[in-house]
Amino acid sequence: MLNQFESYPFEKLRVLLAYSSPPSNDEIFTLTIGEPQFPTPQNIIESWQNNAPLLNKYPKSSGEDELKDAQLNFIDKRYNLTLTTSQIIPTFGTREVLFNFPQFYLFGKANPTIAYPNPFYQIYEGAAIASKSHIILMNLTEDNHFTPSLTPQELQNVDLVILNSPNNPTGRVLPLQSLTEWVKQALEYNFVIINDECYSEIYENTPPPSILQASIQANNPQFKNILALNSISKRSSAPGLRSGFVAGDEEILKSYNLYRTYLGCALPLPLQKAAAVAWNDMQTPESIRHIYAKNLALAREILELNEAQIAPYTFYVWLKVDNDERFCKFAYEKMGVLTLPGSYLGRESQGKDYVRIALVYDNETTKRALFALKKAIQLYKEEYV
């Protein structure tokens, strides 16, 4: 099974650029990885430091009450939804759930089938391989406005659907009505939906909806077959804290919680204390959001693109180019701008005409990077297009 896993996109990029060099004496702009480049807020750091002595205790795999309460408070304030402690599990980021939940849920099914967007976050594929599942790729294209969908036959066959709204890499958000239709389909055809919502707090003006809200709209207040994932990695510039949650269907989570006791994924107590501070903080993440919002506006202005080409969500630009690998090499060698080939995020040729650009720096650095990128685009067109 191990040889079925593909190299991670960043390893492929390293191989692609192994013999490439940027211009000498120029600033290098790394726009490849979605890792916030801002300091972690001081209140989080102080909590972690003050609670370091708690390392002498084992944490619960199900999460401490203080952290659960903080995450429930976030859901209440952000989405105006009141959930119970049995409808949420604090997790080791969202990556943990995305990889091991399909193995848990699909285990024992005769012909397990999983569907997810294409291009995608590669953990989705890894989970499908690890669970020995048949894969349905929901292609995201310019023609379908980067919107995932399944045919009636696929809806009949699928067991688990992973949605990603707001989407990495396209920035596409499914409106509440679309999410509500997905919930109705999950109930009608009896499959489970996980919506990966870890970019929910990165937006310009209008906050994107959660599938939990859509479940209420679909008259499914118990969230049957519905799960939402979220994380403070982007929201609070704290990816190293590894704090996320899975929330929704109480019956599924009860069994999944038992499964997780065998995994050893419990968050250390000092980190849980710090994470509780982060989830309860609604002000600091708002200031971080404004930086990302301005970055998106800068990208639209400098690259002379419209909102249809650069979505007002996530911190990614899904930039259309001619020959993604060639452009990435060119932009790095000519202008010192590192981007990620879109084909590394997709399968069956999806993404091959795009590059993903992560706008994760402060506004001034981002501005310099975007002007360098604009120059690279101009030079590339002169030489190749």
Side-chain angles (χ1 to χ4, degrees):
M1 181 174 67
L2 289 176
N3 62 4
Q4 297 180 40
F5 289 99
E6 289 212 20
S7 298
Y8 223 59
F10 307 110
E11 173 60 20
K12 292 180 180 179
L13 182 63
R14 186 190 67 79
V15 173
L16 175 70
L17 300 178
Y19 300 102
S20 296
S21 298
S24 59
N25 303 320
D26 280 6
E27 187 174 8
I28 305 301
F29 300 104
T30 302
L31 308 180
T32 53
I33 188 168
E35 181 180 68
Q37 298 300 304
F38 312 121
T40 300
Q42 192 62 29
N43 58 349
I44 298 175
I45 293 174
E46 289 176 358
S47 175
W48 168 64
Q49 292 172 331
N50 293 339
N51 289 288
L54 292 175
L55 286 172
N56 70 336
K57 300 182 183 300
Y58 282 115
K60 300 175 186 175
S61 60
S62 59
E64 302 299 319
D65 289 343
E66 182 180 358
L67 179 53
K68 283 187 180 180
D69 289 344
Q71 293 173 332
L72 291 171
N73 180 56
F74 164 78
I75 292 172
D76 182 18
K77 289 183 176 178
R78 172 65 169 81
Y79 301 112
N80 194 29
L81 294 175
T82 302
L83 274 64
T84 66
T85 55
S86 60
Q87 293 174 313
I88 193 168
I89 300 175
T91 61
F92 203 71
T94 56
R95 185 170 179 163
E96 174 222 330
V97 184
L98 289 166
F99 187 68
N100 68 43
F101 181 86
Q103 296 173 66
F104 152 77
Y105 183 72
L106 298 173
F107 181 80
K109 292 188 181 292
N111 297 292
T113 300
I114 183 171
Y116 50 80
N118 182 33
F120 51 84
Y121 177 39
Q122 194 158 316
I123 297 302
Y124 306 165
E125 180 182 70
I129 294 169
S131 57
K132 299 180 180 179
S133 298
H134 172 68
I135 297 171
I136 300 173
L137 294 173
M138 299 186 288
N139 292 337
L140 308 180
T141 68
E142 191 174 0
D143 289 340
N144 65 23
H145 305 290
F146 306 113
T147 304
S149 64
L150 294 173
T151 67
Q153 184 61 50
E154 289 169 337
L155 289 167
Q156 290 279 1
N157 295 334
V158 74
D159 297 297
L160 176 63
V161 172
I162 299 177
L163 299 176
N164 178 207
S165 176
N167 181 258
N168 165 23
T170 69
R172 168 78 163 120
V173 161
L174 297 177
L176 185 61
Q177 182 178 354
S178 296
L179 287 172
T180 302
E181 287 304 311
W182 272 107
V183 173
K184 291 178 179 178
Q185 290 176 335
L187 295 173
E188 179 180 354
Y189 293 96
N190 195 29
F191 60 82
V192 168
I193 293 177
I194 294 178
N195 190 28
D196 179 358
E197 301 178 0
C198 71
Y199 293 95
S200 69
E201 305 313 289
I202 310 300
Y203 58 90
E204 284 191 71
N205 298 304
T206 305
S210 169
I211 200 162
L212 298 177
Q213 293 172 298
S215 192
I216 300 297
Q217 287 287 112
N219 196 28
N220 183 28
Q222 299 305 313
F223 309 112
K224 178 177 170 55
N225 290 358
I226 303 302
L227 298 171
L229 296 184
N230 216 322
S231 160
I232 57 170
S233 295
K234 278 67 175 176
R235 174 183 183 265
S236 300
S237 294
L241 199 52
R242 310 311 303 136
S243 177
F245 66 72
V246 55
D249 190 315
E250 182 176 3
E251 291 303 312
I252 293 176
L253 292 182
K254 182 179 179 180
S255 299
Y256 180 54
N257 199 31
L258 176 60
Y259 169 83
R260 290 186 74 254
T261 62
Y262 291 86
L263 294 175
C265 284
L267 200 67
L269 290 174
L271 297 187
Q272 290 200 46
K273 290 281 189 178
V277 169
W279 284 108
N280 277 321
D281 186 355
M282 302 299 286
Q283 294 182 332
T284 310
E286 181 68 3
S287 64
I288 293 172
R289 181 186 72 78
H290 280 287
I291 298 172
Y292 289 131
K294 186 172 181 181
N295 282 347
L296 288 169
L298 283 170
R300 222 172 277 120
E301 175 188 345
I302 293 170
L303 300 181
E304 301 178 40
L305 298 171
N306 57 40
E307 197 168 281
Q309 295 165 304
I310 299 179
Y313 298 96
T314 81
F315 46 51
Y316 294 119
V317 173
W318 190 232
L319 183 67
K320 193 168 187 179
V321 297
D322 173 67
N323 192 319
D324 57 333
E325 287 189 321
R326 185 173 67 187
F327 177 84
C328 285
K329 283 176 62 70
F330 185 92
Y332 179 58
E333 292 170 354
K334 295 293 184 181
M335 298 301 300
V337 178
L338 281 164
T339 59
L340 189 66
S343 58
Y344 294 178
L345 300 168
R347 300 294 180 263
E348 299 178 357
S349 298
Q350 291 300 311
K352 68 181 179 62
D353 292 326
Y354 291 84
V355 292
R356 192 188 74 176
I357 299 157
L359 304 179
V360 292
Y361 290 92
D362 62 85
N363 297 147
E364 287 306 311
T365 304
T366 298
K367 187 183 296 185
R368 295 196 304 273
L370 287 167
F371 276 117
L373 177 63
K374 182 177 183 178
K375 182 65 174 178
I377 293 170
Q378 292 170 342
L379 293 173
Y380 183 80
K381 287 181 177 178
E382 291 172 7
E383 186 161 340
Y384 291 110
V385 180

